[in-house]
């Protein structure tokens, strides 16, 4: 009902439907929307940008447009239907834990059921919060994702042999990352519930959504990879700050963390090496 919002919709419709070669030089992004919507010589560009983003966010929320690589595009009718079907999917904690483990965490750190320490192999009991993945470990490796408890209190409540990866500290604070992860989980759930073959327009629409979800997965993976060096840990009921564990990659940091954890639990293990 707002005249300004109508102008945003019309301008976006115009530039998002340019030919592909024209969109290469003039994409339908916020910067170009600002240029086309300026109507004063002394326009406050920051204020204009804020007003434009409010309209775009509403359009995204209502499944009218989508954002892709910084540009915005309108959905067609079938895409709007699929978007709303995805939005209506119900996902539980188990869905979140399974998705985070299978698609993001284990590919990042390449965790295995056993780890070598000194002259022996030790079994890892691996969980994503309450979801058990590797059982009957010599010690428990627990990833916290959505837990809201203060990390100091969590350390006191944990078992001495538990090694906790406190991803939840930065994951819960990053609203954009959480929203992208939720949408990724819901899209996966939609395809699980609609696994039977579809043809025609719906088949093409589903394929487009699969491609977009694959790109979203890559973006989420990169953000988790960039954030992982900030992660704090709990080992032997003590909090370890991120700078106490060294390593240039997530795999290196994890190996050094496990080495430090086991050397604390099995203090006398290395005494057997000379025998």
């Amino acid at each position: 009902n707002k005249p300004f919002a109508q102008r945003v919709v019309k301008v976006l419709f115009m530039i998002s439907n340019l030919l592909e070669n024209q969109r290469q030089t003039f994409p339908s992004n916020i910067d170009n929307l600002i240029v086309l919507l300026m109507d004063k010589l002394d326009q406050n560009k920051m204020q204009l940008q804020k007003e434009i983003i409010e309209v775009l966010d509403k359009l995204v929320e209502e499944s009218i447009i989508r954002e892709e690589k910084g540009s915005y595009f309108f959905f067609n009718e079938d895409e709007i239907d699929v978007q709303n079907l995805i939005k209506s999917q119900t996902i539980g904690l188990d869905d979140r834990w399974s998705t985070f483990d299978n698609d993001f965490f284990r590919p990042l750190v390449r965790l295995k059921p056993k780890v070598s320490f000194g002259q022996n192999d030790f079994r890892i009991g691996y969980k994503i919060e309450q979801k058990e993945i590797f059982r009957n470990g010599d010690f428990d490796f627990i990833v916290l994702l959505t837990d809201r408890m203060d990390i100091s209190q969590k350390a006191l409540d944990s078992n001495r042999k538990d090694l906790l990866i406190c991803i939840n500290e930065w994951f819960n604070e990053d609203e954009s990352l959480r929203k992208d992860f939720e949408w990724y989980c819901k899209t996966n759930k939609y395809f699980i519930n609609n696994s039977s073959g579809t043809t025609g327009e719906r088949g093409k629409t589903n394929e487009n959504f699969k491609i977009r979800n694959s790109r979203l997965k890559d973006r989420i993976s990169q953000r988790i990879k960039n954030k992982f060096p900030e992660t704090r840990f709990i080992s032997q009921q003590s909090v370890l700050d991120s700078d106490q564990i060294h390593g240039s990659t997530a795999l290196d940091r994890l190996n050094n963390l496990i080495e430090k954890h086991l050397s604390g639990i099995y203090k006398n293990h290395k005494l057997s090496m000379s025998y």
Side-chain angles (χ1 to χ4, degrees):
N1 296 325
K2 297 178 182 178
F4 177 76
Q6 293 176 18
R7 287 183 61 217
V8 173
V9 170
K10 290 174 181 177
V11 169
L12 177 59
F13 187 81
M14 177 177 68
I15 62 175
S16 65
N17 286 291
L18 292 172
L19 296 174
E20 180 64 31
N21 63 332
Q22 294 169 325
R23 289 207 305 267
Q24 295 296 322
T25 54
F26 200 81
S28 51
N29 57 25
I30 290 175
D31 289 339
N32 288 332
L33 284 169
I34 290 171
V35 170
L36 293 173
L37 287 162
M38 289 174 67
D39 57 3
K40 301 183 184 74
L41 290 173
D42 57 348
Q43 186 93 47
N44 184 329
K45 291 182 73 174
M46 291 297 293
Q47 180 61 32
L48 182 60
Q49 179 179 345
K50 181 182 176 183
E51 292 172 0
I52 292 170
I53 290 174
E54 286 178 2
V55 177
L56 295 176
D57 287 347
K58 182 67 175 175
L59 292 170
V60 170
E61 184 183 329
E62 296 296 326
S63 302
I64 306 298
I65 64 171
R66 71 179 193 277
E67 186 268 334
E68 191 173 311
K69 296 182 180 179
S71 295
Y72 292 85
F73 303 92
F74 282 85
F75 285 122
N76 61 35
E77 287 187 21
D78 195 54
E79 287 178 322
I80 290 173
D81 288 343
V82 171
Q83 182 85 351
N84 286 324
L85 285 171
I86 292 172
K87 191 185 291 186
S88 68
Q89 299 298 311
T90 302
I91 54 171
L93 284 172
D94 195 79
D95 296 313
R96 294 176 176 88
W97 293 335
S98 297
T99 301
F100 190 77
D101 169 53
N102 292 326
D103 292 1
F104 300 107
F105 187 74
R106 247 192 295 176
L108 176 67
V109 301
R110 286 175 269 171
L111 189 68
K112 296 179 180 177
K114 289 186 179 180
V115 62
S116 296
F117 177 68
Q119 305 284 64
N120 290 78
D121 287 339
F122 290 87
R123 296 189 311 277
I124 295 177
Y126 169 43
K127 298 178 185 176
I128 299 282
E129 294 190 348
Q130 306 301 318
K131 184 176 179 63
E132 276 193 310
I133 297 160
F134 302 157
R135 298 185 179 185
N136 304 319
D138 296 304
F139 69 99
D140 279 343
F141 182 101
I142 304 168
V143 176
L144 301 180
L145 182 64
T146 59
D147 195 289
R148 294 279 180 175
M149 184 183 289
D150 178 75
I151 188 172
S152 300
Q153 184 61 47
K154 197 76 179 177
L156 292 175
D157 291 348
S158 65
N159 187 292
R160 184 176 172 274
K161 281 191 175 184
D162 291 349
L163 177 59
L164 282 74
I165 317 301
C166 302
I167 285 171
N168 59 320
E169 286 196 292
W170 49 260
F171 184 83
N172 286 331
E173 291 297 315
D174 192 332
E175 185 178 355
S176 173
L177 176 57
R178 281 192 293 107
K179 281 185 176 180
D180 283 348
F181 178 69
E182 290 281 307
W183 185 257
Y184 177 79
C185 292
K186 285 190 173 189
T187 305
N188 283 348
K189 191 74 173 283
Y190 164 76
F191 285 117
I192 290 170
N193 294 336
N194 296 270
S195 56
S196 57
T198 51
T199 58
E201 187 177 5
R202 179 54 55 90
K204 183 179 178 181
T205 298
N206 283 348
E207 191 59 36
N208 287 337
F209 272 88
K210 284 181 181 178
I211 292 169
R212 290 171 199 152
N213 213 40
S214 177
R215 290 172 183 162
L216 179 60
K217 177 185 176 182
D218 292 341
R219 293 202 300 273
I220 293 171
S221 296
Q222 188 59 49
R223 286 157 74 183
I224 291 173
K225 181 180 178 181
N226 293 341
K227 281 280 191 180
F228 193 74
E230 301 175 17
T231 306
R232 294 200 291 173
F233 312 97
I234 297 173
S235 173
Q236 302 170 76
Q237 297 181 309
S238 296
V239 177
L240 299 178
D241 287 330
S242 57
D243 58 4
Q244 291 179 259
I245 304 299
H246 303 293
S248 57
T249 66
L251 178 61
D252 290 340
R253 290 178 68 79
L254 189 72
N255 289 337
N256 292 335
L257 173 66
I258 292 174
E259 180 81 15
K260 183 179 179 68
H261 181 67
L262 293 180
S263 65
I265 294 174
Y266 304 105
K267 293 179 181 178
N268 301 319
H269 188 68
K270 291 185 179 179
L271 295 177
S272 65
M273 292 177 67
S274 59
Y275 289 88

